[in-house]
Amino acid sequence: MKYKETDFLETATQDILDRIARARELTREYYNSNYKDIEKRRAILRELLGSVGENVAIDTPFHCDYGKNIFIGNDVIININCTFVDNRPIRIGNQVLIASNVQIYTSAHPTSAGERLVQNWKEKETTFFRTYALSVEIQDRVWIGGGSIILPGVTIGENSVIGAGSVVNRSIPANCVAAGNPCRVIRRLKKQDMKEEKGEV
């Protein structure tokens, strides 16, 4: 894969470390909050995330890097033990269902050791490795099955379903069912399927 220089990140500046530390504090506070205290839990999410819409349920534990790069629409459920590595924006649309143990990664490292490792890194006051990051977008009315892994740069088109345990390493078009490792389209949704899902039959 070819990377642009703008794809690479600084991951160990004091500002970045402070943001990560604050996200850890807030996710811990969210985990320890009373499940029935909806107002407090929503206030924590408003501080943690870039934006959060109405009727959003995020179950615990929930893990993220920065939090502020996560943007969530309305009517969204994120189930138990999800991990969002949000070095770049993760955008989640409306009426999205994300099952337990889903992992969304915006960042990774070059496969070539020559690109991945930084020579004389201590002298440069940086990390010994390089990290690149690309945004992820989950469009409206998507359902992501349990244990799926979404990799950097992926867009999942509206109405699509990702089968449990899938590894999504490339974008998936709208209106389809996709599954597997690597994730592939296995069938297209018909208009009738989508009407039934919306309760319009």
Side-chain angles (χ1 to χ4, degrees):
M1 179 175 177
K2 295 290 184 183
Y3 310 101
K4 297 179 290 187
E5 199 57 36
T6 53
D7 293 336
F8 287 95
L9 299 170
E10 286 288 340
T11 56
T13 65
Q14 192 57 54
D15 177 59
I16 293 296
L17 295 175
D18 288 346
R19 279 194 273 170
I20 292 171
R22 183 57 180 152
R24 297 290 185 274
E25 291 171 2
L26 289 167
T27 52
R28 184 167 57 250
E29 184 180 348
Y30 188 70
Y31 179 81
N32 289 322
S33 65
N34 186 329
Y35 189 78
K36 295 180 180 179
D37 192 344
I38 295 170
E39 286 307 312
K40 180 176 182 180
R41 286 168 67 83
R42 183 160 178 80
I44 295 168
L45 290 179
R46 281 197 298 264
E47 183 175 352
L48 173 65
L49 305 177
S51 66
V52 56
E54 298 299 320
N55 193 34
V56 172
I58 301 179
D59 215 329
T60 54
F62 172 72
H63 312 279
C64 62
D65 248 7
Y66 303 161
K68 287 298 183 186
N69 284 339
I70 300 170
F71 304 89
I72 300 175
N74 300 317
D75 306 320
V76 172
I77 293 177
I78 297 170
N79 219 310
I80 298 167
N81 202 37
C82 289
T83 299
F84 293 1
V85 180
D86 60 316
N87 297 110
R88 290 277 194 247
I90 295 172
R91 301 186 185 280
I92 297 170
N94 302 312
Q95 298 180 316
V96 171
L97 303 176
I98 298 179
S100 301
N101 298 304
V102 168
Q103 301 165 62
I104 300 178
Y105 298 121
T106 65
S107 62
H109 312 286
T111 53
S112 163
E115 280 190 288
R116 184 170 64 252
L117 302 176
V118 178
Q119 300 299 314
N120 305 315
W121 62 277
K122 289 183 180 178
E123 296 171 16
K124 298 174 183 177
E125 298 182 349
T126 187
T127 55
F128 69 90
F129 56 89
R130 300 183 84 201
T131 300
Y132 72 87
L134 303 168
S135 299
V136 169
E137 182 177 1
I138 312 298
Q139 295 183 350
D140 294 348
R141 298 177 300 281
V142 164
W143 171 24
I144 300 176
S148 295
I149 300 173
I150 315 297
L151 295 180
V154 163
T155 294
I156 299 176
E158 62 181 14
N159 302 315
S160 286
V161 176
I162 304 299
S166 297
V167 178
V168 189
N169 65 350
R170 64 185 63 190
S171 293
I172 300 298
N175 307 317
C176 66
V177 177
N181 179 7
C183 190
R184 295 283 185 269
V185 174
I186 56 177
R187 75 179 176 94
R188 302 280 176 172
L189 291 172
K190 300 174 183 177
K191 287 183 179 179
Q192 183 63 24
D193 294 326
M194 287 179 278
K195 283 182 180 179
E196 288 174 355
E197 288 168 9
K198 294 178 184 177
E200 296 177 2
V201 176

